[in-house]
Amino acid sequence: QVQLVESGGGSVEAGGSLRLSCAASGNIYSNYCLAWFRQAPGKEREGVAILYYGSGGTYYADSVKGRFTISRDSAKNTLYLQMNSLKPEDTAMYYCATGPYHYAYMWMPGSYAYWGQGTQVTVSS
């Protein structure tokens, strides 16, 4: 079993920054990936950034490339999402998730077995 707890959400003005954290407990294996997803009201949950636990390789959605950075602190068992140059369209509930890595399916929420409870990010114009 894996437990994930997000923190760091809040309200900022456009152009501002936030750093989300996801504290993990339990067994995360080297063939797992760690991901950030987001879901805005009335929209489907979408992948934002993914980190492959084994190699540390990272992947980003086109909408956040160059603005968001996913990283991990293995000693603290914590995943981060640094979000810069925030835009109103980034407003959403942000979730971290983990599960076995499958390149073909890693952007699909259904591929992830474990989810946190979410943290709200609101960006005002």
Side-chain angles (χ1 to χ4, degrees):
Q1 280 288 63
V2 176
Q3 291 79 44
L4 303 171
V5 180
E6 302 98 332
S7 61
S11 297
V12 295
E13 293 186 351
S17 298
L18 282 173
R19 189 177 80 157
L20 306 183
S21 299
C22 174
S25 59
N27 294 323
I28 298 178
Y29 299 102
S30 60
N31 66 329
Y32 274 31
C33 57
L34 296 157
W36 288 99
F37 281 78
R38 66 186 181 187
Q39 188 167 19
K43 295 189 176 182
E44 293 187 353
R45 191 168 296 191
E46 63 173 357
V48 175
I50 298 169
L51 183 148
Y52 179 41
Y53 196 76
S55 67
T58 57
Y59 309 88
Y60 295 94
D62 288 343
S63 59
V64 306
K65 275 181 186 174
R67 299 189 299 123
F68 290 13
T69 303
I70 188 171
S71 63
R72 66 175 175 176
D73 184 329
S74 297
K76 295 182 179 180
N77 247 8
T78 301
L79 180 72
Y80 300 102
L81 185 68
Q82 178 66 45
M83 306 186 295
N84 298 327
S85 302
L86 283 161
K87 303 176 181 180
E89 51 264 44
D90 295 317
T91 295
M93 185 72 80
Y94 283 71
Y95 300 89
C96 67
T98 190
Y101 173 78
H102 298 286
Y103 180 79
Y105 307 115
M106 63 181 179
W107 293 107
M108 299 172 63
S111 298
Y112 292 82
Y114 304 103
W115 291 84
Q117 83 289 350
T119 186
Q120 177 68 37
V121 171
T122 302
V123 184
S124 59
S125 57

